[in-house]
Amino acid sequence: MRFFGIDRALVALACLAGLLGVALSAAAAHIPGADSLKTAAQFLLFHAPAILALAGFAAAGLARPGLMRLASGLLVLGLILFCGDLSMRAWLQHPLFPMAAPIGGFALMGGWFAGILGALVPVRRV
């Protein structure tokens, strides 16, 4: 198994998502009515292991590396937009930018779809 720079970056970002998920869970437990922070924390914690797995599949050559890296990248982008928007709304009372959460949601769905393709399209063996 060979880890490329992109794989290391995706693993680091997955770990950051887990860290932020724990931090937002703790913050939401102490802020009354922080439902959007709870949602953001859940999304971060649910997707962090998925990003780790996709990056691992890519690095190990168990699935199409390009599609798995694309899937991981879309999940990271989706988390930044979706969770970033929910967090900004909770703490600063304004969105990250208009339509950030829906765009992030579509990026997350795209990431899962790319993961499906990466798993189903056979790996080329040379």
Side-chain angles (χ1 to χ4, degrees):
M1 176 163 67
R2 184 157 177 214
F3 245 41
F4 291 95
I6 186 71
D7 301 315
R8 291 181 191 284
L10 290 168
V11 168
L13 290 169
C15 292
L16 178 61
L19 180 149
L20 292 173
V22 172
L24 287 183
S25 293
H30 294 90
I31 300 171
D35 290 334
S36 62
L37 285 183
K38 288 179 188 174
T39 301
Q42 289 172 343
F43 268 70
L44 288 162
L45 290 170
F46 295 156
H47 287 85
I51 296 165
L52 288 172
L54 291 168
F57 287 142
L62 298 174
R64 293 297 289 249
L67 286 170
M68 290 303 181
R69 290 178 181 121
L70 173 66
S72 298
L74 285 170
L75 291 180
V76 169
L77 175 64
L79 289 175
I80 291 168
L81 295 176
F82 185 79
C83 298
D85 189 64
L86 292 181
S87 298
M88 291 276 295
R89 289 174 188 268
W91 278 323
L92 303 177
Q93 309 305 311
H94 65 80
L96 186 60
F97 61 84
M99 300 297 290
I103 293 169
F106 277 107
L108 289 167
M109 289 186 278
W112 285 108
F113 184 71
I116 291 168
L117 294 177
L120 296 178
V121 176
V123 176
R124 280 186 253 156
R125 301 286 179 205
V126 178

